[in-house]
Amino acid sequence: MSGRKFSDLLLSVWEYAGEVIAAGLVYVLLRIWFGSASISKFYADKQSAGAILVGIILASCIAVWVAFGALLSSEFGKWLRTTGNATVYSRAFAFPILVSLATLSLLLTFSADTTAAHFVTIMVIYNLLNFITMIFNLHGLYRLWQEKDRTDHQHETADGPHGDSHNKQP
């Protein structure tokens, strides 16, 4: 494994770990502010609403991933594939699907009166943070696309118009 790939892997692991740490910190703050009993009660009262929310997030993540797959058939997608960015973005869009599936499974599996409510709460927070990150990744993809288009347009302008009637030889 080259040094660049290894450093990219470490950065990727750190980014995912950062979301787990953030979810844990948010949970600790909720526990300090509201107490353990309130978290369990909230989970019991809102378990089905949480499952609906995570289901909506799951559907959104799947839609983004499928749309990204369709984008890969475009000229921009070809460029993403040749630069190696397609794999990075595919993973960034697929991972939230896995997190949402795991969270939804936990929400539907554990009854509200178990101590698992606290772990599930952390997973819901993590799922929300992961979804927000996916939105930022999608925005980053759009910015990359815009930058590529701008760069391509500058190259076309510098090279002159191709196939333009104004560029005919006498």
Side-chain angles (χ1 to χ4, degrees):
M1 181 178 282
S2 73
R4 174 148 170 86
K5 286 185 179 182
F6 183 71
S7 65
D8 288 347
L9 176 68
L10 284 177
L11 179 61
S12 182
V13 168
W14 172 248
E15 289 169 347
Y16 288 113
E19 290 176 348
V20 171
I21 293 167
L25 290 174
V26 169
Y27 171 75
V28 167
L29 288 174
L30 289 173
R31 194 164 174 170
I32 290 169
W33 288 332
F34 301 109
S36 180
S38 293
I39 291 173
S40 292
K41 182 176 179 351
F42 182 83
Y43 175 75
D45 293 344
K46 304 296 182 187
Q47 184 179 11
S48 62
I52 291 169
L53 173 66
V54 172
I56 291 169
I57 290 172
L58 174 61
S60 300
C61 292
I62 291 170
V64 166
W65 192 59
V66 167
F68 178 72
L71 175 73
L72 290 177
S73 66
S74 70
E75 282 299 313
F76 177 66
K78 180 179 178 182
W79 178 80
L80 283 174
R81 290 190 314 275
T82 59
T83 61
N85 288 318
T87 303
V88 174
Y89 277 103
S90 181
R91 184 177 35 240
F93 296 141
F95 188 73
I97 295 171
L98 299 176
V99 172
S100 295
L101 281 171
T103 305
L104 188 59
S105 297
L106 290 170
L107 275 166
L108 296 174
T109 302
F110 292 114
S111 63
D113 48 328
T114 67
T115 56
H118 298 281
F119 177 70
V120 174
T121 301
I122 293 170
M123 283 299 296
V124 169
I125 295 166
Y126 177 60
N127 194 78
L128 291 170
L129 291 174
N130 205 267
F131 182 64
I132 292 167
T133 299
M134 187 201 70
I135 292 169
F136 282 117
N137 289 335
L138 186 59
H139 177 70
L141 180 66
Y142 291 153
R143 285 186 14 231
L144 184 62
W145 194 349
Q146 182 179 6
E147 182 62 25
K148 171 134 178 33
D149 279 352
R150 186 184 63 76
T151 304
D152 288 351
H153 181 65
Q154 285 177 346
H155 288 271
E156 287 174 6
T157 304
D159 295 342
H162 299 285
D164 189 358
S165 62
H166 300 302
N167 200 23
K168 291 185 178 178
Q169 296 290 329

